[in-house]
Amino acid sequence: MIWMNCKPIMIIGAPRSGTNMLRNALTSLEGISTWPCDEINYIWRHGNVRYPSDEIPAENATEPVALYIRGCFTSMARRTDAETLVEKTCANCLRVPFVDRVVPEARYIYIVRDGIDAIGSARQRWTAGLDIPYLLEKVRFVPVSDLPYYAFRYFWARLFRLVSREKRLAFWGPALDNMQAILRNHSLNEVCALQWQRCVDKADEALSRMPESKVLHVSYETFVREPEAEMRRILSFMGHDEVPDDTIANAVAGVSSKTIGKGRKALGDDEVAGLEALVSSSLRRYGYL
């Protein structure tokens, strides 16, 4: 097994739940780094590229798969001279046991946001236009042997958007086991809600079985209301207790609580009521209902 010359930290969170915000704040600090792109799902799926969803079971973390992914972590840590390497691919919510088998020394920061607020933001990504700079940032980390597969999928996703009644992509975000049935039988807002629910349910189930010392729970709403205190708590969990207060303040200077309730307001009362009923068990578990 490849020795990992850094402390790996996995941010686990459903799409549009503040994973980017948290990752960017952390990696603005000295000694903490990440990949120069949004996510590395292409790396996580290498060796399982044709698995039908992102819910990849732990047994699929074979030795060649683990060696490849660990090699990518080690390479990036060396390139950035990182003491701690942070990773935040949202699809990892669906396969925490797989991730933990690949990187058993990893620790986890689990951030949860009100699913109804997250839906409004996720819908925008499902219907987004072509973003060439964003695409080029990610394509650099696609394993060469997987490029033809992803090129075809990307072309199909964009073509589908042209003919879709909802003007949506063929796929976006974490791919669930029964994704095609969900897309056929639900509105786009409901699809976003069910993605959020599966992500938090699977992540919660897996992380609850780990030792408490490996997992830190973070509320998105608490973080954006009290960013400096929450950042100090997170850094302590990561073993970075020495960061000065003014440095922490600078790291979270752009964090705002104005996003709380924004998604609910944009959806409207009737739509919110229907979505709350759809994913009520998960909303209730986290105190959002």
Side-chain angles (χ1 to χ4, degrees):
M1 185 67 74
I2 292 175
W3 174 69
M4 196 168 292
N5 58 337
C6 66
K7 292 187 290 187
I9 295 289
M10 308 298 179
I11 297 177
I12 300 294
R16 318 310 292 173
S17 293
T19 55
N20 279 359
M21 171 193 69
L22 180 54
R23 186 265 322 271
N24 292 345
L26 288 171
T27 57
S28 70
L29 302 175
E30 186 177 356
I32 305 175
S33 190
T34 190
W35 276 259
C37 63
D38 183 38
E39 296 192 343
I40 58 166
N41 200 31
Y42 301 125
I43 290 174
W44 285 110
R45 288 189 61 97
H46 184 60
N48 291 286
V49 67
R50 296 189 181 277
Y51 194 83
S53 79
D54 283 315
E55 300 187 42
I56 303 173
E59 55 265 28
N60 282 37
T62 61
E63 185 174 357
V65 166
L67 284 172
Y68 176 81
I69 298 171
R70 290 177 66 83
C72 291
F73 270 78
T74 297
S75 176
M76 185 55 61
R78 287 173 177 163
R79 191 191 309 183
T80 59
D81 195 26
E83 176 187 345
T84 301
L85 194 64
V86 174
E87 211 292 288
K88 53 110 326 191
T89 297
C90 287
N92 282 344
C93 284
L94 301 175
R95 53 177 184 241
V96 170
F98 172 91
V99 172
D100 207 52
R101 184 168 293 190
V102 172
V103 191
E105 62 269 63
R107 302 178 81 194
Y108 298 85
I109 302 171
Y110 180 33
I111 184 167
V112 179
R113 182 186 186 187
D114 180 356
I116 306 301
D117 270 347
I119 289 165
S121 183
R123 182 188 174 94
Q124 293 178 7
R125 299 309 307 163
W126 268 98
T127 58
L130 182 63
D131 186 341
I132 296 295
Y134 174 80
L135 177 64
L136 292 177
E137 282 182 351
K138 295 180 74 170
V139 77
R140 289 185 296 156
F141 299 99
V142 179
V144 175
S145 61
D146 298 341
L147 272 171
Y149 173 80
Y150 286 117
F152 174 79
R153 279 175 56 85
Y154 188 81
F155 174 77
W156 164 240
R158 292 291 158 183
L159 181 64
F160 185 91
R161 184 175 180 270
L162 296 176
V163 300
S164 167
R165 285 182 300 176
E166 294 181 298
K167 298 301 177 184
R168 68 166 176 83
L169 299 170
F171 48 83
W172 177 83
L176 312 183
D177 276 348
N178 54 339
M179 199 73 196
Q180 291 308 309
I182 291 173
L183 287 166
R184 284 194 305 269
N185 298 321
H186 293 274
S187 70
L188 185 52
N189 284 341
E190 290 172 342
V191 170
C192 294
L194 292 169
Q195 275 185 309
W196 173 85
Q197 181 178 55
R198 186 78 61 83
C199 283
V200 298
D201 286 357
K202 294 279 287 189
D204 188 63
E205 178 189 9
L207 294 171
S208 66
R209 295 197 296 265
M210 290 185 180
E212 290 185 6
S213 60
K214 283 196 70 166
V215 183
L216 182 71
H217 293 258
V218 176
S219 159
Y220 172 90
E221 289 77 17
T222 302
F223 186 90
V224 298
R225 287 185 179 119
E226 306 169 22
E228 292 182 36
E230 283 295 278
M231 191 68 161
R232 171 65 70 191
R233 186 171 71 95
I234 292 166
L235 288 170
S236 179
F237 169 77
M238 294 169 57
H240 291 264
D241 295 289
E242 73 288 352
V243 182
D245 289 343
D246 59 339
T247 303
I248 291 177
N250 288 333
V252 298
V255 175
S256 170
S257 62
K258 293 180 180 179
T259 53
I260 297 176
K262 187 176 180 180
R264 286 178 173 271
K265 185 177 180 179
L267 289 166
D269 292 343
D270 290 344
E271 184 72 10
V272 166
L275 294 171
E276 285 182 335
L278 182 66
V279 295
S280 60
S281 60
S282 303
L283 288 170
R284 188 171 290 110
R285 186 168 70 251
Y286 288 102
Y288 295 119
L289 189 63

